[in-house]
């Protein structure tokens, strides 16, 4: 496999297509054989999935992985903020998309589990782009099989997403954290919800968090305490007595001003606050990441897809520093 580095401003640039017309993320090598995972530290996975749409009939989140990959070739792994290039310490590849059948949870979630299992069995960190937020349940649940009661979660979102079920649908984007609260291999007290706010939450969801012992750090708390104190508190909870901590980001953790192609929720995090917090998560050694719920068709600038790249890169930069500090 060739050198695992992003490609930018290279006059000889030719895209590595993950599928026809779509480059791999950062133009990293495409992983076509499972055994090639053994050479990597991180593997990109796309899940172009929408289950039940909770308002209207279609949100275009199925286009998220393709859109994020398409804009990613503008970027390197270097951040002047920290004077560090992630890919000096991390080797990555794009493992392609999970096969999906939109609306078919049984098929799609099983395929998610199979692909994620290959990644984590190779001791590689999954970096996943969705898709709607329901995909976090099978990913994290699969990790928890290998680390029973030892998985912590840093969940950035405007909404708790812990509704018991949406109508007759127990697996919708409203419910992944209820599924995790009740997963036999999860300890819900190691789940921290960050950025929660606004009138699209249900009182029952807040009660569910309290009932199962999850921690809620509201957007208001981040603003009043400052992002550093808020993430320090979250990390202390999620990392206590755990073996793996997973970062999951819904686009609407960001204020609508910073997320024009996602659910429109006001009073939220700035892109700076979120980037700094996910960097801290990487620096602490979090071992998984997803970014979900962007709607690429709602704005031609593809702002949300760029945000997805930035958040992944800030997380990876922290992870690279974590690895550098242990060499």
């Amino acid at each position: 496999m060739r050198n695992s580095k992003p490609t930018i401003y290279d006059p000889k640039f030719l895209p590595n297509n993950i599928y026809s017309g779509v480059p791999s993320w950062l133009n990293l090598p495409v992983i076509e054989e499972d055994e090639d995972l053994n050479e990597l530290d991180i593997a990109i996975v796309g899940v172009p999935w929408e289950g039940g749409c909770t308002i209207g009939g279609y949100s275009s989140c199925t286009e998220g992985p393709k859109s994020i990959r398409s804009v990613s070739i503008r970027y390197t792994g270097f951040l002047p903020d920290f004077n560090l290039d992630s890919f000096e310490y991390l080797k990555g590849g794009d493992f392609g998309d999970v096969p999906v059948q939109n609306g078919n949870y049984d098929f799609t979630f099983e395929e998610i589990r199979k692909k994620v299992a290959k990644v984590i069995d190779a001791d590689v960190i999954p970096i996943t782009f969705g898709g709607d937020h329901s995909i976090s349940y099978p990913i994290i649940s699969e990790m928890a099989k290998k680390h029973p009661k030892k998985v912590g979660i840093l969940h950035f979102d405007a909404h708790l997403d812990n509704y018991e079920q949406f109508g007759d649908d127990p697996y919708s984007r409203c419910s992944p954290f209820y599924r995790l609260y009740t997963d036999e291999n999860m300890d819900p007290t190691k789940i921290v919800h960050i950025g929660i706010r606004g009138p699209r939450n249900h009182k029952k969801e807040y009660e569910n968090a309290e009932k199962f012992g999850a921690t809620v750090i509201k957007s208001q708390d981040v603003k009043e305490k400052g992002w550093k104190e808020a993430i320090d508190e979250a990390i202390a909870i999620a990392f206590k007595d755990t073996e793996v901590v997973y970062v999951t980001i819904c686009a609407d953790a960001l204020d609508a001003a910073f997320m024009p192609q996602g659910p429109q929720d006001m009073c939220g995090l700035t892109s700076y606050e979120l980037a700094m917090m996910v960097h801290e998560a990487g620096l602490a050694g979090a071992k998984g990441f997803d970014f979900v719920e962007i709607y690429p068709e709602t704005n031609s600038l593809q702002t949300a897809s760029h945000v997805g790249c930035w958040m992944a890169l800030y997380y990876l930069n922290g992870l690279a520093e974590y690895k550098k500090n242990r060499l």
Side-chain angles (χ1 to χ4, degrees):
M1 188 171 68
R2 71 166 178 80
N3 190 27
S4 171
K5 291 260 186 158
T7 304
I8 185 171
Y9 303 144
D10 182 347
K12 298 178 181 178
F13 166 77
L14 290 173
N16 296 303
N17 283 1
I18 196 67
Y19 48 89
S20 180
V22 178
S24 63
W25 192 65
L26 300 182
N27 205 44
L28 293 173
V30 176
I31 305 305
E32 296 180 344
E33 303 295 335
D34 293 351
E35 54 265 30
D36 288 340
L37 288 168
N38 297 318
E39 302 179 35
L40 304 180
D41 299 297
I42 63 165
I44 310 307
V45 176
V47 188
W49 155 263
E50 182 164 46
C53 190
T54 54
I55 184 166
Y58 171 68
S59 70
S60 84
C61 67
T62 54
E63 300 298 305
K66 178 168 69 174
S67 180
I68 289 170
R69 286 186 174 107
S70 295
V71 305
S72 73
I73 56 175
R74 295 174 59 90
Y75 300 117
T76 72
F78 175 72
L79 293 179
D81 322 36
F82 308 103
N83 193 23
L84 186 73
D85 188 333
S86 303
F87 293 95
E88 293 295 323
Y89 300 95
L90 300 173
K91 194 168 187 178
D94 196 321
F95 198 30
D97 282 350
V98 171
V100 305
Q101 292 178 356
N102 283 316
N104 186 338
Y105 289 105
D106 290 342
F107 173 85
T108 302
F109 281 18
E110 180 60 25
E111 291 298 321
I112 292 171
R113 288 179 180 276
K114 287 193 293 188
K115 199 167 188 80
V116 168
K118 290 178 181 179
V119 174
I120 59 179
D121 284 349
D123 197 26
V124 174
I125 294 171
I127 308 296
T128 307
F129 297 118
D132 80 29
H133 213 160
S134 65
I135 69 170
S136 297
Y137 163 58
I139 295 171
I140 298 169
S141 176
E142 196 62 30
M143 297 178 84
K145 288 180 182 178
K146 302 186 182 302
H147 305 275
K149 306 293 185 180
K150 296 289 185 179
V151 175
I153 301 174
L154 298 172
H155 167 218
F156 296 89
D157 205 320
H159 315 108
L160 287 159
D161 287 355
N162 65 2
Y163 217 45
E164 186 170 357
Q165 60 186 54
F166 184 77
D168 296 328
D169 182 357
Y171 296 108
S172 81
R173 69 222 306 168
C174 298
S175 303
F177 293 96
Y178 192 90
R179 303 279 76 78
L180 290 167
Y181 287 172
T182 57
D183 188 295
E184 64 180 357
N185 294 313
M186 286 294 301
D187 177 353
T189 68
K190 302 182 189 307
I191 298 174
V192 186
H193 305 281
I194 308 162
I196 307 304
R197 67 194 189 278
R200 292 206 299 129
N201 287 279
H202 294 265
K203 184 178 180 182
K204 182 65 175 176
E205 292 176 278
Y206 209 81
E207 292 170 348
N208 282 340
E210 292 180 330
K211 173 183 174 182
F212 287 97
T215 298
V216 178
I217 298 176
K218 295 172 285 188
S219 176
Q220 181 182 22
D221 299 326
V222 176
K223 302 297 183 182
E224 294 181 357
K225 295 177 180 179
W227 68 263
K228 186 63 167 63
E229 183 176 336
I231 193 61
D232 284 349
E233 176 186 348
I235 285 172
I237 295 166
F239 278 81
K240 188 177 190 303
D241 300 324
T242 55
E243 297 170 349
V244 174
V245 171
Y246 187 88
V247 177
T248 175
I249 305 173
C250 180
D252 59 33
L254 290 164
D255 188 276
F258 299 88
M259 183 47 61
Q261 289 176 286
Q264 296 297 284
D265 290 277
M266 317 306 158
C267 302
L269 306 179
T270 67
S271 58
Y272 177 80
E273 289 167 336
L274 182 57
M276 292 301 105
M277 287 195 281
V278 298
H279 181 269
E280 289 291 316
L283 188 58
K287 295 289 175 30
F289 172 98
D290 70 46
F291 188 88
V292 299
E293 297 281 358
I294 66 168
Y295 308 154
E297 293 185 357
T298 60
N299 186 306
S300 61
L301 295 176
Q302 299 304 321
T303 304
S305 300
H306 288 285
V307 171
C309 291
W310 279 59
M311 296 309 143
L313 287 165
Y314 272 80
Y315 160 71
L316 290 175
N317 202 265
L319 185 65
E321 188 170 344
Y322 171 85
K323 184 175 180 180
K324 175 186 175 185
N325 292 341
R326 281 154 181 77
L327 291 176

